[in-house]
Amino acid sequence: MWTQCWLNYNDCMKNSLSYADYFSVLYVDGFKLNKAISSAYEELQLAGEKLWGRSISISSSMPQRGIAFVKTSSDKRGEEGYRIYEKSGVAIVEAATEAAIIYGTFRLLALFRTDAFGIDTDITEIPSNPIRMLDHWDNMDGSIERGYSGNSFFFVDNNVVINERTKDYARFLASLGINSVAINNVNVKDAATDLVNDRFIDKVAKLTDLFECYGVKMYLCLNYAMPIEYEPASADPLDEKVIAWWKAKMTDIYSKVPNLGGFVVKADSEGRPGPFTYGRTQADGANMLADAIRPHGGKIIWRCFVYNCQQDWRDLKTDRARAGYDYFSSLDGQFADNVILQIKNGPMDFQPREPISPLFGGLRATNQMLELQIAQEYTGHQIDVCYLIPWFKQILAFETYMNGVDAPEDTTVAGIISGRARAGSTGGIVAVTNTGNDENWTGNDLAAANLYGFGRLAWNTELDAEDIAREWIQLTFTDKTDAYAEGEAYCAGTDKVAQDVIADILMSSWPAYENYSAPLGIGWMVKPQGHYGPSVEGYEYDRWGTYIRADWEGLGVERGPKGTGFALQYNSPNKEMYSDIETTPDELILFFHKTPYKYVLKSGKTVIQHIYDTHFEGYDEAKRMQAAWLSLEGKVEARAFANVSERFEMQAANAREWCDIVNSYFYRRCGINDEKGRTIY
Ligand code: GCV
């Protein structure tokens, strides 16, 4: 079996008894009782039964007391927005589409469960982002690339699996208003190419239908090089035979899976073939597919993770950070309107901290999506706790100055991807997901806060990271344990002290991880390949373009005008800010500048003292968080307690390795003593 995460209707919220009466009848006005509407009804039945022992029947008219789904026009709230309000004893979810009704139903349940619904409730929700997506890197043999929570629940032994667990996953997505999911790895290999062939297409159709019943569009990752295996024997996007082949292929796919959202494509990246192979541009490749899919209403989500992964470490001029902008900025305005460029948050690769990709704000006439990673590839493998939502908030708030300093439009990253920055554009937000078939879905129980948090933030980028965490705690830790006698607080989710402890752990976790792993934006001091644990020079003499360039005098990559020039890819005034070491924010100084160990930061500390201090502090924080968690023994359900306790044990050991190895490495390099005289080896 598997857990229900934040849909844990094991509630011990006796104070919410007054809500029970809503769970008597459901009135459906203007919708047919099928697909997402019937899923929403089913969810109400499940929750009513489990929370209050009530069963709900269908009423043919507005009841005296109950719940109602009401269809309205899409004018005010768009296709996906909804209104939740109470009117004379009836809890009403009002929306234009079935998908919006199911999102609203889950929200209504969350309001009940957090005791936040009342006769004055009148909430209108409109999603911030058109596309709110999760990308799976699941392979068809069942493995997951960068997966830290078991194997795939979509694929086993080169086959597609559809079962109750798949349905529960769809419920999780709908409960957050996630409206898109790509189920297979962007590295499309082996059997995965056949997801669009007769071998698997029926199962793809079934899965797509299942997700549709939860308001979620399913996407597939596409093997761009596929026609090489067929009669065109080429993947040249300007070759007539290739064009005709893809047109026929899309027609065939959509005749069998008419509700498929479209395709995500990784091309010309890390060994994946692409248009460069034929001397064509990324726009040539994307537009060819976009043209073929256009008659069927699908989208092409084209990734910008294109760089040379065969770099010579001796080459000090080439800078991987530049690659995305160098390849894509000159193509601005050339992409078809059903193409969306998917851009990783940073110019490198999901490090604990990076600057924001200069493509945001560099592209002015192209649809863009922000790609984040909640799979904790570089942030602790879901062994270490690392609640990423505070980091994502910073990314979204970054001001790109796309239209100059005084532009009235919202030209933050959030503004660009939502479509607010440019009339007629579309976009969205996607995360590489952290789920697998582990009992608790996410390896570490606390990592589910990232899945929940991403979904909530994707829906509303204005939400506060700590509020999201607290809501997640309230909805998740609902098992009554022996620590709570009747009449007291009933479970960790409602116990203010326990809630504070968990919220504090989550909110402290990303800064702690950054402290013990990657100070001042340096990144990449991880063990190669696996990416868990320290190896300061693990990537230094390799081909990946991921160098720290440490010597006896200092460390960091010079990316200002006298170095690789990466800083110049930003709009003013960011360009000037990052070009000058004196104005570069401390937290990114080593990303942008080769900096002497004795350089004094804006904090007043030298670089080397900052390195020592943050590593000791990070390790101390890991131990403090561990002790805080252990104080919850008996208060959180035994399984979750054991799961997180075991992982904290590993996290403390990992933090110690990071602290001692990084500090010793730099001490040995520069010979400068720690001002506080702590043990460095
Ligand atoms: C799916 C990084 C990861 C790869 C991943 C790639 C990508 O390089 O380490 O595992 O491949 O990013 O985003 O395509």
Side-chain angles (χ1 to χ4, degrees):
M1 271 318 275
W2 51 89
T3 65
Q4 289 294 308
C5 297
W6 57 90
L7 298 183
N8 195 8
Y9 297 149
N10 247 340
D11 282 19
C12 46
M13 294 185 58
K14 297 286 188 279
N15 58 346
S16 61
L17 245 188
S18 57
Y19 300 131
D21 290 347
Y22 289 109
F23 291 78
S24 52
V25 290
L26 171 69
Y27 170 55
V28 180
D29 180 6
F31 292 103
K32 288 205 186 103
L33 191 61
N34 62 10
K35 293 198 169 178
I37 300 298
S38 121
S39 311
Y41 174 39
E42 204 180 295
E43 195 67 29
L44 289 177
Q45 284 176 308
L46 180 73
E49 177 62 41
K50 291 195 98 180
L51 294 170
W52 295 289
R54 298 289 172 99
S55 67
I56 307 175
S57 52
I58 295 289
S59 155
S60 55
S61 59
M62 190 63 94
Q64 296 277 323
R65 192 101 166 102
I67 297 174
F69 297 159
V70 176
K71 188 173 168 77
T72 53
S73 74
S74 64
D75 303 354
K76 277 180 284 172
R77 292 179 290 267
E79 296 279 297
E80 296 186 299
Y82 55 79
R83 177 179 170 209
I84 294 176
Y85 61 107
E86 138 78 67
K87 195 174 164 200
S88 326
V90 182
I92 301 177
V93 183
E94 197 179 271
T97 62
E98 294 180 5
I101 290 286
I102 191 148
Y103 308 150
T105 301
F106 275 107
R107 195 69 212 141
L108 175 68
L109 287 170
L111 294 176
F112 286 145
R113 295 179 58 214
T114 52
D115 208 4
F117 188 83
I119 49 170
D120 298 331
T121 300
D122 191 346
I123 298 168
T124 294
E125 291 272 342
I126 301 171
S128 306
N129 292 294
I131 298 182
R132 307 173 300 280
M133 185 167 193
L134 285 167
D135 277 2
H136 286 254
W137 286 355
D138 293 24
N139 299 314
M140 292 211 56
D141 63 3
S143 62
I144 302 180
E145 183 155 346
R146 311 305 177 186
Y148 311 107
S149 45
N151 282 335
S152 173
F153 47 79
F154 286 126
F155 308 117
V156 174
D157 292 338
N158 292 315
N159 216 333
V160 179
V161 177
I162 306 171
N163 57 23
E164 279 304 302
R165 188 160 187 161
T166 334
K167 186 171 150 187
D168 276 351
Y169 183 61
R171 291 171 55 232
F172 293 161
L173 301 197
S175 74
L176 302 170
I178 296 276
N179 66 1
S180 308
V181 64
I183 60 165
N184 62 310
N185 190 354
V186 285
N187 293 324
V188 186
K189 288 175 284 189
D190 310 319
T193 301
D194 283 337
L195 285 169
V196 291
N197 284 341
D198 287 348
R199 184 174 171 198
F200 295 124
I201 201 82
D202 291 347
K203 289 192 171 162
V204 165
K206 258 197 188 153
L207 254 184
T208 309
D209 286 346
L210 187 154
F211 277 114
E212 192 181 31
C213 289
Y214 285 88
V216 182
K217 277 253 178 238
M218 199 176 95
Y219 286 68
L220 292 173
C221 291
L222 196 66
N223 178 0
Y224 179 83
M226 200 175 166
I228 295 177
E229 304 298 323
Y230 295 84
E231 203 250 284
S234 164
D236 180 351
L238 301 190
D239 179 330
E240 288 304 330
K241 277 198 278 185
V242 173
I243 295 170
W245 189 87
W246 274 119
K247 283 194 169 151
K249 187 76 205 162
M250 292 296 181
T251 303
D252 180 50
I253 295 168
Y254 274 87
S255 71
K256 292 162 185 157
V257 197
N259 43 0
L260 191 70
F263 296 96
V264 181
V265 187
K266 172 176 179 176
D268 287 313
S269 173
E270 300 187 329
R272 307 307 304 159
F276 285 167
T277 318
Y278 304 91
R280 313 298 184 194
T281 68
Q282 297 295 301
D284 292 334
N287 291 345
M288 180 272 294
L289 291 175
D291 212 35
I293 207 173
R294 181 181 303 282
H296 315 289
K299 293 189 173 65
I300 296 296
I301 299 180
W302 190 267
R303 294 179 86 228
C304 294
F305 189 56
V306 179
Y307 70 98
N308 168 17
C309 66
Q310 298 293 343
Q311 193 176 327
D312 183 345
W313 61 269
R314 298 167 193 85
D315 167 8
L316 301 180
K317 286 264 174 308
T318 306
D319 180 5
R320 168 167 163 181
R322 292 188 56 113
Y325 188 95
D326 282 346
Y327 288 128
F328 283 90
S329 61
S330 61
L331 302 174
D332 192 22
Q334 294 179 29
F335 290 91
D337 60 3
N338 57 340
V339 172
I340 305 173
L341 295 189
Q342 181 166 309
I343 306 167
K344 288 191 182 185
N345 59 270
M348 298 294 279
D349 191 13
F350 300 136
Q351 297 304 290
R353 187 187 293 270
E354 284 184 50
I356 308 309
S357 167
L359 275 173
F360 294 112
L363 297 170
R364 293 176 164 78
T366 304
N367 297 324
Q368 295 158 62
M369 263 169 93
L370 168 66
E371 180 176 346
L372 303 164
Q373 192 187 40
I374 55 173
Q376 289 175 235
E377 178 179 356
Y378 297 97
T379 51
H381 283 203
Q382 288 143 243
I383 295 170
D384 301 23
V385 184
C386 193
Y387 178 57
L388 292 159
I389 308 308
W391 170 220
F392 296 168
K393 288 286 293 178
Q394 291 188 18
I395 294 165
L396 288 162
F398 181 73
E399 176 51 73
T400 68
Y401 300 106
M402 178 173 107
N403 293 338
V405 178
D406 297 320
E409 301 87 8
D410 177 359
T411 51
T412 60
V413 171
I416 291 171
I417 62 171
S418 66
R420 291 194 294 277
R422 183 172 68 89
S425 64
T426 189
I429 185 166
V430 52
V432 178
T433 195
N434 59 358
T435 49
N437 70 356
D438 272 1
E439 184 185 5
N440 66 358
W441 299 86
T442 54
N444 187 327
D445 271 57
L446 295 184
N450 281 328
L451 183 58
Y452 186 84
F454 168 75
R456 294 288 289 134
L457 199 61
W459 179 271
N460 180 355
T461 47
E462 293 301 305
L463 292 177
D464 175 76
E466 184 169 342
D467 290 348
I468 296 175
R470 285 184 181 274
E471 187 178 88
W472 173 78
I473 294 164
Q474 273 185 282
L475 296 173
T476 300
F477 294 98
T478 60
D479 295 276
K480 190 171 178 300
T481 64
D482 291 345
Y484 299 104
E486 289 293 338
E488 285 187 88
Y490 289 96
C491 56
T494 50
D495 173 356
K496 184 78 176 68
V497 176
Q499 207 189 97
D500 285 350
V501 168
I502 303 171
D504 176 68
I505 290 173
L506 291 174
M507 293 304 289
S508 310
S509 60
W510 170 59
Y513 194 88
E514 184 184 16
N515 274 351
Y516 64 73
S517 66
L520 306 170
I522 188 70
W524 297 110
M525 300 193 295
V526 281
K527 287 198 180 126
Q529 275 82 46
H531 301 163
Y532 186 77
S535 174
V536 181
E537 291 202 327
Y539 271 116
E540 199 58 17
Y541 306 106
D542 214 332
R543 62 184 172 91
W544 296 96
T546 47
Y547 312 114
I548 65 163
R549 307 277 191 219
D551 56 25
W552 63 275
E553 208 174 10
L555 81 159
V557 181
E558 185 50 53
R559 294 187 159 112
K562 292 196 182 122
T564 70
F566 166 71
L568 303 174
Q569 293 183 335
Y570 289 86
N571 296 320
S572 294
N574 291 335
K575 182 195 306 201
E576 291 75 16
M577 175 177 72
Y578 291 139
S579 289
D580 183 352
I581 192 167
E582 290 295 313
T583 51
T584 302
D586 282 353
E587 69 268 15
L588 287 172
I589 206 157
L590 300 182
F591 190 95
F592 281 101
H593 301 286
K594 175 79 190 280
T595 312
Y597 296 115
K598 291 184 178 163
Y599 180 83
V600 179
L601 297 165
K602 281 148 209 82
S603 67
K605 284 184 190 178
T606 59
V607 165
I608 190 65
Q609 195 55 43
H610 180 98
I611 291 175
Y612 295 151
D613 285 352
T614 47
H615 282 83
F616 284 117
E617 281 161 18
Y619 174 39
D620 286 347
E621 272 291 275
K623 285 185 296 182
R624 185 187 69 79
M625 292 190 292
Q626 180 184 23
W629 177 260
L630 293 177
S631 76
L632 297 176
E633 181 158 22
K635 295 192 165 183
V636 295
E637 177 226 349
R639 185 207 51 76
F641 180 77
N643 167 278
V644 178
S645 302
E646 190 195 337
R647 277 153 202 264
F648 261 129
E649 193 73 38
M650 294 190 269
Q651 174 166 3
N654 184 40
R656 174 151 196 220
E657 286 297 280
W658 272 102
C659 170
D660 289 343
I661 291 175
V662 172
N663 282 347
S664 302
Y665 172 90
F666 287 108
Y667 174 67
R668 292 176 188 186
R669 272 275 185 190
C670 69
I672 301 171
N673 287 325
D674 169 32
E675 282 170 4
K676 295 178 189 151
R678 292 161 290 196
T679 307
I680 295 178
Y681 300 88

